[in-house]
Amino acid sequence: MVKILKGVVRHYDWGSPTVIPHLLGLPPNGKPWAELWLGAHPTAPATVDDKPLNLLISKDPHNLLGSDITSTSKNLPFLMKVLAVEHPLSLQVHPTVEQAQEGFKREQAMGIPIDSPKRSFRDSCHKPELVCALTSFELLCGFRDVQFTLALLDTIHSKELDPMRDQLRKKLSPQGLHALVGWLLSLEKTEVAMLLNSMLRVCSEIVARNVDTSPWTTDTDKTRIPADSNTEVADTSYHWQQWIRQLTTAIKLGEHYPQDAGVIVSLLLNYIILRPGEAMFLPPGTPHCYLRGSAVEVMACSDNVVRGGLTSKHTDINTLLEVIDTTPLAIEIQQPKTTHGITTYESHATEFSLTRIELQSDFSTAIQSGPAILLCTNGRVQVNNLTLERGQAAWISFSEELINLKGLGTAFVCSKDQWG
């Protein structure tokens, strides 16, 4: 079975009013279009012939998924999305399998409805993610080395930050960072506002003195931590312009959330920009906040989100502190080579893989069978006898033994195993 798959649009405040409508060839309606879901999650299943994909799978799991998947699951193990970020998302983390099972069981016992806005666990699955930029994509992701973070915080000369710096100096470790995050997120709003006002005033002064806030630097642009820093970090260089961009981000977040400690926590995270075609894998427990841009995102089939701030939605600080991983994140921006038009991204999850395929008019390729979801993001792509225009997606079932692709365009394929 190779058929048109119609996704479900999710309207959240942080979404873009134009990006997803433009992709789908639809007129904007003034609403923020944040996500396009392409999958079988029961919260928002895509449809085939107007029938929800999860129900179709439940009626014929073997032919649609294959025995390799049905031996451990009765549903599609992955979910594909298009993200259109106009304003920052919440500061959030996703759970491990064990944490998801425990959290789901706990909220079920509490009698919280599955669709309640006060729910963090809507299923019992973990949620590793892989995000691949369609445009320049800005995000905060994972914690830095603690000593490096302390050195950067020392550039913000505000005495109100002294308790924060002193606490971190007492325990220069992921455990000390965890305690600091817990302390910040437990402050009263009046305390947060006082701390933020002082911090952001100094940040604004620093940014004003550094008018070049371009996000891009080269190796020759790398500079040491400024000489007036109180902390010495051996053999550590930093893109000073990138730090300025991060301070600018904190200032903007503070304008939207003037009493939210998540603004301060944002300075503890890595500031990253993905160029189009670059990708990052986010394991469970990794704190992140998407800031701006559009991307294709694939993940295990889960809707579990534990929020800690930078949002008007439900937050659960205690659970976030249980789930969050404060170990410094090794930044691995994926820039895989393209071979014969096929680019394969590295997934550290068994549930999904992501492949980008660039097709030329005189080029065709044969790909192994599904289950898979194929999204055309540019041009026109023919999948066997089905032609996809820009913004259209196809559902490819396991029973389809061979997939032939041709056309002139770009397609992203989400499947359990690698294509190509």
Side-chain angles (χ1 to χ4, degrees):
M1 177 192 294
V2 178
K3 290 198 171 185
I4 291 287
L5 181 72
K6 292 185 178 180
V8 178
V9 174
R10 308 288 278 178
H11 299 284
Y12 303 131
D13 290 344
W14 50 264
S16 165
T18 59
V19 171
I20 292 178
H22 179 62
L23 175 69
L24 299 178
L26 298 174
N29 58 7
K31 292 183 179 180
W33 298 50
E35 298 180 348
L36 175 67
W37 284 36
L38 297 163
H41 193 283
T43 297
T47 57
V48 175
D49 294 333
D50 295 324
K51 298 181 179 63
L53 182 58
N54 59 326
L55 296 183
L56 290 175
I57 289 173
S58 68
K59 293 178 179 179
D60 192 8
H62 179 73
N63 283 325
L64 270 64
L65 299 183
S67 58
D68 182 49
I69 292 177
T70 56
S71 62
T72 58
S73 173
K74 299 304 179 185
N75 197 9
L76 191 67
F78 53 80
L79 174 62
M80 187 180 197
K81 297 181 182 180
V82 176
L83 305 181
V85 183
E86 183 89 356
H87 304 289
L89 278 70
S90 58
L91 175 65
Q92 59 185 259
V93 295
H94 304 305
T96 63
V97 173
E98 295 77 15
Q99 291 164 342
Q101 292 173 345
E102 181 180 342
F104 182 76
K105 182 179 179 180
R106 180 174 64 248
E107 292 187 347
Q108 287 289 87
M110 294 169 65
I112 305 175
I114 287 290
D115 59 353
S116 169
K118 294 190 178 298
R119 185 123 190 178
S120 296
F121 298 90
R122 302 186 189 278
D123 51 66
S124 58
C125 301
H126 69 159
K127 194 181 177 185
E129 298 176 336
L130 178 68
V131 60
C132 180
L134 291 173
T135 64
S136 178
F137 194 76
E138 302 176 52
L139 66 155
L140 300 171
C141 181
F143 290 99
R144 287 188 225 91
D145 177 86
V146 179
Q147 287 187 323
F148 194 19
T149 288
L150 185 56
L152 294 173
L153 292 177
D154 279 346
T155 67
I156 304 174
H157 297 155
S158 168
K159 65 178 182 180
E160 278 76 14
L161 287 183
D162 287 346
M164 179 177 167
R165 286 186 282 252
D166 291 343
Q167 186 171 155
L168 197 55
R169 280 193 180 91
K170 290 177 182 177
K171 202 168 187 179
L172 290 169
S173 66
Q175 293 75 23
L177 188 57
H178 189 279
L180 175 61
V181 172
W183 176 71
L184 287 170
L185 295 180
S186 65
L187 291 174
E188 296 292 334
K189 289 188 179 297
T190 53
E191 295 177 288
V192 173
M194 185 180 302
L195 183 58
L196 269 181
N197 287 338
S198 176
M199 184 191 83
L200 295 180
R201 175 181 54 80
V202 177
C203 288
S204 297
E205 294 172 355
I206 295 173
V207 170
R209 292 196 301 267
N210 294 267
V211 293
D212 183 4
T213 59
S214 169
W216 302 116
T217 58
T218 64
D219 289 342
T220 57
D221 293 322
K222 293 180 181 179
T223 61
R224 294 283 175 182
I225 297 299
D228 58 357
S229 170
N230 296 327
T231 301
E232 295 181 359
V233 181
D235 298 324
T236 301
S237 61
Y238 188 72
H239 293 215
W240 177 244
Q241 290 181 356
Q242 189 181 39
W243 176 237
I244 295 300
R245 190 63 179 264
Q246 187 156 15
L247 296 185
T248 303
T249 296
I251 294 168
K252 292 179 179 178
L253 290 174
E255 293 172 354
H256 289 284
Y257 305 102
Q259 294 182 315
D260 195 322
V263 179
I264 308 171
V265 175
S266 75
L267 294 179
L268 309 177
L269 305 177
N270 295 291
Y271 174 84
I272 298 166
I273 296 183
L274 300 178
R275 295 182 176 94
E278 295 181 339
M280 275 193 69
F281 179 80
L282 282 66
T286 304
H288 58 282
C289 172
Y290 295 155
L291 299 171
R292 183 175 300 178
S294 59
V296 169
E297 185 183 42
V298 294
M299 65 205 70
C301 189
S302 173
D303 193 27
N304 291 328
V305 182
V306 183
R307 300 178 181 88
L310 307 179
T311 181
S312 58
K313 293 183 178 181
H314 171 65
T315 59
D316 187 343
I317 303 304
N318 290 334
T319 302
L320 179 129
L321 293 174
E322 292 175 3
V323 173
I324 198 167
D325 185 355
T326 53
T327 305
L329 179 68
I331 303 299
E332 296 181 6
I333 295 178
Q334 297 188 29
Q335 301 169 315
K337 292 182 178 179
T338 300
T339 304
H340 302 302
I342 297 176
T343 306
T344 301
Y345 296 94
E346 185 70 27
S347 170
H348 301 287
T350 59
E351 290 87 354
F352 61 83
S353 67
L354 179 66
T355 304
R356 189 180 82 239
I357 302 175
E358 302 285 349
L359 292 167
Q360 300 177 3
S361 56
D362 60 347
F363 172 81
S364 65
T365 183
I367 305 294
Q368 62 264 35
S369 65
I373 293 171
L374 186 148
L375 170 67
C376 176
T377 58
N378 188 44
R380 178 180 295 174
V381 175
Q382 185 172 325
V383 189
N384 289 1
N385 294 322
L386 182 68
T387 299
L388 300 179
E389 304 288 343
R390 184 176 188 270
Q392 289 186 310
W395 161 251
I396 303 169
S397 65
F398 171 79
S399 59
E400 196 74 20
E401 294 183 355
L402 188 65
I403 308 301
N404 287 292
L405 302 179
K406 62 181 180 179
L408 179 62
T410 304
F412 283 85
V413 180
C414 183
S415 58
K416 184 177 184 298
D417 301 313
Q418 290 186 352
W419 276 38

